[in-house]
């Protein structure tokens, strides 16, 4: 009897088919494998296992898109705006003109007083001009008094008027808003840049006047408007304080120019409008019939910085000036924000 006939299953296996190859594939074995494969399927497919977790499709995918920019990114935007503003040839030309004004005033006073004459025969010149020959530090006060009515506010008006309208005219405003800046953050950055230019422009005038005054005239103790004597160090500190007050006096012009800049897409039109409003307000401030309105013009208390050369200092007009500038900044700054946030940016 062969091995196939003696197989314990009791069923003979054909001699032609080897028994080891026929055993692994019986019909019952196939059914058992099918059942083993089909049964664990429902237990493994539904419900996430501890290792799998939620699928990427069900997770919060848009979370990185709403991430807010960090304060360091905002500082980088401000630095970029400052560098861009200071590199423009127009800005450099304005600073050059401001630096040249004290040079011209100092040379003119030096030529006029060479033969022992006075700096101003009529008494109609800028404030402190008669004191320059006695102390060169007075050239700082004279230069600020000469540039504040027109040159300084004109320079600030040009920079402020070009802040938003210049970007729109060049087609770069739309790309600035694509970055995670936001309109409010961008507007604050622009206004901060204009305020920084106010301080820089005022310091350029003051430093230029100090250098020219030291080269052409003697330096020493100062005589205040009240007739008291103060040391040169104290006079230098008051000159720095006066420069900061003059810079603060330009805050209203900066806010007005920024508001005008949000109304148009032409930088030249915004700059011309701001300078035109500046000239108009100063003309109105000289009309006696408008005495009831004159205290509300942003230029009315500009020359109050001269009170810092009194001993003691007279603070009344100084506080009125700073309060008026803050009011203009709040009103026109809010108007600029309302206009810019609702504006349809197409360029």
């Amino acid at each position: 009897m062969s091995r196939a006939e003696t197989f314990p299953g009791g069923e003979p296996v054909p001699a032609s088919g080897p028994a080891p190859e026929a055993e692994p594939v019986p019909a019952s074995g196939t059914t058992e494998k099918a059942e083993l494969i089909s049964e664990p399927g429902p237990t493994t497919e539904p419900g996430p296992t501890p290792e799998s977790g939620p699928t990427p499709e069900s997770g919060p995918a848009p979370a990185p898109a709403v991430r807010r920019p960090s304060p360091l990114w905002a500082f980088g935007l401000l630095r970029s705006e400052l560098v861009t503003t200071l590199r423009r040839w127009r800005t450099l030309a304005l600073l050059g003109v401001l630096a040249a004004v004290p040079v011209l005033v100092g040379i003119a006073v030096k030529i006029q007083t060479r033969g022992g004459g006075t700096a101003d025969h009529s008494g109609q010149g800028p404030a402190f001009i008669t004191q320059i020959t006695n102390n060169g530090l007075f050239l700082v006060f004279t230069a600020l008094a000469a540039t504040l009515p027109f040159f300084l506010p004109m320079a600030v008006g040009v920079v402020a008027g070009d802040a938003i309208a210049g970007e729109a005219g060049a087609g770069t405003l739309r790309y600035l808003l694509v970055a995670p800046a936001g309109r409010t953050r961008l507007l604050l950055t622009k206004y901060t840049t204009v305020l920084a230019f106010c301080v820089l422009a005022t310091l350029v005038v003051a430093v230029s006047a100090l250098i020219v005054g030291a080269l052409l005239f003697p330096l020493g103790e100062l005589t205040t408007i009240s007739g008291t004597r103060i040391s040169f160090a104290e006079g230098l500190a008051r000159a720095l304080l006066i420069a900061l007050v003059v810079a603060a006096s330009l805050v209203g012009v900066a806010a007005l120019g920024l508001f005008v800049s949000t109304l148009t897409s032409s930088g030249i039109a915004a700059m011309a409008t701001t300078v035109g409003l500046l000239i108009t307000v100063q003309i109105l401030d000289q009309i006696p019939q408008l005495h009831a309105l004159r205290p509300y013009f942003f230029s009315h208390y500009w020359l109050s910085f001269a009170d810092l050369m009194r001993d003691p200092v007279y603070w009344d007009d100084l506080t009125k000036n700073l309060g008026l500038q803050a009011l203009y900044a709040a009103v026109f700054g809010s108007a600029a924000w309302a206009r810019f946030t609702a504006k349809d940016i197409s360029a």
Side-chain angles (χ1 to χ4, degrees), residues 153-179:
M154 181 198 67
V156 173
V158 168
V159 174
D162 190 59
I164 301 296
E167 299 284 0
T172 56
L173 182 59
R174 188 175 182 180
Y175 297 100
L176 285 176
L177 295 176
V178 170

Side-chain angles (χ1 to χ4, degrees), residues 195-207:
L195 294 182
F197 178 79
C198 294
V199 177
L200 177 61
T202 306
L203 291 179
V204 165
V205 175
V207 172

Side-chain angles (χ1 to χ4, degrees), residues 22-329:
E23 287 180 359
V25 289
S28 61
T30 307
T31 306
E32 291 176 358
K33 286 184 179 180
E35 291 175 356
L36 291 174
I37 294 175
S38 61
E39 289 177 0
T43 60
T44 57
E45 291 180 0
T49 60
E51 293 80 10
S52 63
T55 58
E57 290 77 5
S58 62
V66 297
R67 183 177 56 185
R68 297 179 179 274
S70 64
L72 292 179
W73 187 92
F75 178 77
L77 177 63
L78 176 60
R79 182 180 60 182
S80 175
E81 287 294 329
L82 288 172
V83 172
T84 302
T85 301
L86 295 178
R87 282 182 176 178
R88 291 173 178 163
W89 65 267
R90 179 175 55 245
T91 305
L92 297 177
L94 291 173
L95 293 176
V97 171
L98 293 174
V101 172
V103 177
L104 297 177
V105 174
I107 294 176
V109 172
K110 186 67 175 180
I111 293 176
Q112 188 174 6
T113 58
R114 179 177 299 177
T118 59
D120 182 23
H121 296 282
S122 61
Q124 300 298 322
F128 306 106
I129 193 170
T130 58
Q131 303 293 330
I132 294 178
T133 55
N134 299 326
N135 197 316
L137 188 57
F138 279 101
L139 183 59
V140 176
F141 313 137
T142 303
L144 291 175
T147 55
L148 183 55
F150 181 72
F151 291 101
L152 277 173
M154 181 198 67
V156 173
V158 168
V159 174
D162 190 59
I164 301 296
E167 299 284 0
T172 56
L173 182 59
R174 188 175 182 180
Y175 297 100
L176 285 176
L177 295 176
V178 170
R183 300 196 179 195
T184 301
R185 190 186 297 266
L186 180 61
L187 189 67
L188 288 176
T189 301
K190 291 289 187 179
Y191 188 55
T192 305
T193 303
V194 178
L195 294 182
F197 178 79
C198 294
V199 177
L200 177 61
T202 306
L203 291 179
V204 165
V205 175
V207 172
S208 175
L210 181 61
I211 294 175
V212 175
L215 293 176
L216 300 181
F217 307 102
L219 298 177
E221 293 185 349
L222 284 80
T223 302
T224 64
I225 298 176
S226 304
T228 59
R229 302 279 294 181
I230 60 176
S231 64
F232 177 75
E234 184 179 353
L236 197 60
R238 293 200 184 193
L240 178 60
L241 183 59
I242 286 175
L244 294 178
V245 170
V246 170
S249 301
L250 302 172
V251 169
V253 176
L256 176 62
L258 190 67
F259 169 65
V260 173
S261 184
T262 61
L263 300 177
T264 178
S265 299
S266 174
I268 297 178
M271 290 184 288
T273 303
T274 304
V275 176
L277 289 174
L278 169 67
I279 297 174
T280 302
V281 168
Q282 294 199 68
I283 293 175
L284 295 176
D285 195 24
Q286 303 300 322
I287 300 177
Q289 288 77 9
L290 298 178
H291 61 88
L293 299 177
R294 289 169 62 183
Y296 299 100
F297 294 144
F298 56 77
S299 61
H300 185 70
Y301 297 104
W302 273 355
L303 297 181
S304 62
F305 72 85
D307 291 335
L308 288 172
M309 287 303 297
R310 299 182 186 273
D311 194 15
V313 177
Y314 183 65
W315 294 100
D316 191 15
D317 287 347
L318 287 169
T319 54
K320 289 180 180 179
N321 177 39
L322 296 179
L324 187 62
Q325 301 306 321
L327 178 62
Y328 270 85

Side-chain angles (χ1 to χ4, degrees), residues 2-7 9-23:
S2 64
R3 294 180 60 184
E5 296 177 348
T6 60
F7 186 72
E11 297 180 359
V13 180
S16 60
E21 297 179 358
E23 287 180 359

